[in-house]
Structures are given as structure tokens and as C-alpha cells.
Amino acid sequence: MMEGETLFKILFVNQDQVFQIFAKSVFQSELYGFIEIEEIVFGEKSKLVLDPGEEKLKSEFSGVKRSYVPMHAIIRIDEVEKQGTAKVMDSGGENVTQFPGAPQRPVLPKTDS
């Protein structure tokens, strides 16, 4: 990272897992209800030590120019000074739950009047 560049740590839920990624650009998308993430950054570590979680994310986001994440899946967005490790964690279903969507209106039976 160059001095003075902005870096964000984004945590979001994806299929009962929590993804932690780092990106240079995060903003509200023109697509209603989505956060737009651009320029995802991965650590440049030596080829001798591989982190399986980070490698999984690298392969999942390879070739992705921009990613749209639903707002209700976002747990937290932090502006950070130093890049950490991108990782995938199990949510465990205890401490992290997905925010519920819009409430469903009950279907009322038709009555003859």
C-alpha cells in the first residue's frame, strides 16, 4: 500500500460464512440495496507459506472488477491503516445472523361479500 491511500476492511455474510476482505473503494451502489466494492486487495506473501482461507478468496474473486454485496449482508466496514489477512470464517449461527429482509404480509383468505 502506498502512503496516503485509503483501505477498507469489509466483513459480510455469504452462505453462512463471514468473509473478511480488504478493498481500496467501497460505496453505495446505484443498484438499490447494494454496496459496491472495487479494487479488492490481497496480501503479497511468500510462495512458501499459503493461507488456505486467503487462497479461497483469491480464487473466488479472481477476475472480478467490482462486487455488489447486499446491504443486509454487511456486518461492518472499517477504514484501516494496515492491510490484514483476507479470510473466510464460519458464522457459527450464534453471534452473527443475517438481518431479516422486508416482512412478509400475511395472505388473507378471500371472503364473499
mmCIF file of all heavy atoms in Angstrom, residues 27 36-39 64-68:
data_model
loop_
_atom_site.group_PDB
_atom_site.id
_atom_site.type_symbol
_atom_site.label_atom_id
_atom_site.label_comp_id
_atom_site.label_asym_id
_atom_site.label_seq_id
_atom_site.Cartn_x
_atom_site.Cartn_y
_atom_site.Cartn_z
ATOM 1 N N PHE A 27 -18.534 1.918 -1.721
ATOM 2 C CA PHE A 27 -19.554 2.957 -1.726
ATOM 3 C C PHE A 27 -20.918 2.359 -2.002
ATOM 4 O O PHE A 27 -21.041 1.217 -2.433
ATOM 5 C CB PHE A 27 -19.229 4.069 -2.729
ATOM 6 C CG PHE A 27 -18.897 3.583 -4.111
ATOM 7 C CD1 PHE A 27 -19.870 3.492 -5.080
ATOM 8 C CD2 PHE A 27 -17.593 3.212 -4.439
ATOM 9 C CE1 PHE A 27 -19.560 3.048 -6.355
ATOM 10 C CE2 PHE A 27 -17.274 2.766 -5.708
ATOM 11 C CZ PHE A 27 -18.259 2.685 -6.673
ATOM 12 N N GLU A 36 -21.162 -1.385 -3.228
ATOM 13 C CA GLU A 36 -20.247 -1.687 -4.327
ATOM 14 C C GLU A 36 -18.818 -1.700 -3.791
ATOM 15 O O GLU A 36 -18.392 -0.766 -3.111
ATOM 16 C CB GLU A 36 -20.404 -0.609 -5.404
ATOM 17 C CG GLU A 36 -19.855 -0.988 -6.734
ATOM 18 C CD GLU A 36 -20.336 -0.047 -7.839
ATOM 19 O OE1 GLU A 36 -21.478 0.455 -7.763
ATOM 20 O OE2 GLU A 36 -19.556 0.154 -8.767
ATOM 21 N N ILE A 37 -18.099 -2.777 -4.088
ATOM 22 C CA ILE A 37 -16.722 -2.947 -3.618
ATOM 23 C C ILE A 37 -15.828 -3.077 -4.845
ATOM 24 O O ILE A 37 -16.058 -3.935 -5.690
ATOM 25 C CB ILE A 37 -16.599 -4.204 -2.728
ATOM 26 C CG1 ILE A 37 -17.537 -4.097 -1.531
ATOM 27 C CG2 ILE A 37 -15.160 -4.399 -2.282
ATOM 28 C CD1 ILE A 37 -17.680 -5.368 -0.737
ATOM 29 N N GLU A 38 -14.813 -2.208 -4.918
ATOM 30 C CA GLU A 38 -13.882 -2.230 -6.048
ATOM 31 C C GLU A 38 -12.449 -2.346 -5.542
ATOM 32 O O GLU A 38 -12.156 -1.966 -4.418
ATOM 33 C CB GLU A 38 -13.990 -0.941 -6.871
ATOM 34 C CG GLU A 38 -15.272 -0.797 -7.637
ATOM 35 C CD GLU A 38 -15.312 0.482 -8.462
ATOM 36 O OE1 GLU A 38 -14.467 1.381 -8.240
ATOM 37 O OE2 GLU A 38 -16.189 0.586 -9.322
ATOM 38 N N GLU A 39 -11.572 -2.826 -6.412
ATOM 39 C CA GLU A 39 -10.136 -2.939 -6.142
ATOM 40 C C GLU A 39 -9.865 -3.742 -4.868
ATOM 41 O O GLU A 39 -9.274 -3.262 -3.918
ATOM 42 C CB GLU A 39 -9.494 -1.566 -6.052
ATOM 43 C CG GLU A 39 -9.599 -0.759 -7.332
ATOM 44 C CD GLU A 39 -8.899 0.577 -7.217
ATOM 45 O OE1 GLU A 39 -7.648 0.563 -7.097
ATOM 46 O OE2 GLU A 39 -9.590 1.598 -7.245
ATOM 47 N N VAL A 64 -12.613 -10.480 -10.904
ATOM 48 C CA VAL A 64 -13.750 -9.633 -10.525
ATOM 49 C C VAL A 64 -13.292 -8.177 -10.502
ATOM 50 O O VAL A 64 -12.374 -7.826 -9.769
ATOM 51 C CB VAL A 64 -14.318 -10.031 -9.138
ATOM 52 C CG1 VAL A 64 -15.393 -9.054 -8.688
ATOM 53 C CG2 VAL A 64 -14.854 -11.443 -9.175
ATOM 54 N N LYS A 65 -13.932 -7.362 -11.303
ATOM 55 C CA LYS A 65 -13.607 -5.931 -11.355
ATOM 56 C C LYS A 65 -14.317 -5.188 -10.222
ATOM 57 O O LYS A 65 -13.755 -4.310 -9.589
ATOM 58 C CB LYS A 65 -14.035 -5.365 -12.711
ATOM 59 C CG LYS A 65 -13.778 -3.899 -12.886
ATOM 60 C CD LYS A 65 -14.209 -3.429 -14.256
ATOM 61 C CE LYS A 65 -14.021 -1.930 -14.390
ATOM 62 N NZ LYS A 65 -14.439 -1.442 -15.694
ATOM 63 N N ARG A 66 -15.552 -5.582 -9.972
ATOM 64 C CA ARG A 66 -16.393 -4.909 -8.994
ATOM 65 C C ARG A 66 -17.352 -5.936 -8.423
ATOM 66 O O ARG A 66 -17.846 -6.783 -9.144
ATOM 67 C CB ARG A 66 -17.128 -3.784 -9.729
ATOM 68 C CG ARG A 66 -18.211 -3.102 -9.070
ATOM 69 C CD ARG A 66 -18.839 -2.016 -9.959
ATOM 70 N NE ARG A 66 -17.854 -1.105 -10.529
ATOM 71 C CZ ARG A 66 -17.691 -0.892 -11.837
ATOM 72 N NH1 ARG A 66 -18.454 -1.512 -12.707
ATOM 73 N NH2 ARG A 66 -16.786 -0.051 -12.275
ATOM 74 N N SER A 67 -17.608 -5.849 -7.131
ATOM 75 C CA SER A 67 -18.521 -6.793 -6.496
ATOM 76 C C SER A 67 -19.652 -6.016 -5.821
ATOM 77 O O SER A 67 -19.428 -4.969 -5.232
ATOM 78 C CB SER A 67 -17.766 -7.628 -5.460
ATOM 79 O OG SER A 67 -18.574 -8.638 -4.956
ATOM 80 N N TYR A 68 -20.855 -6.537 -5.932
ATOM 81 C CA TYR A 68 -22.031 -5.927 -5.319
ATOM 82 C C TYR A 68 -22.501 -6.846 -4.189
ATOM 83 O O TYR A 68 -22.862 -7.988 -4.425
ATOM 84 C CB TYR A 68 -23.157 -5.759 -6.337
ATOM 85 C CG TYR A 68 -22.787 -4.844 -7.486
ATOM 86 C CD1 TYR A 68 -22.204 -5.355 -8.639
ATOM 87 C CD2 TYR A 68 -23.011 -3.475 -7.408
ATOM 88 C CE1 TYR A 68 -21.859 -4.520 -9.689
ATOM 89 C CE2 TYR A 68 -22.673 -2.638 -8.453
ATOM 90 C CZ TYR A 68 -22.099 -3.161 -9.587
ATOM 91 O OH TYR A 68 -21.756 -2.332 -10.626
#
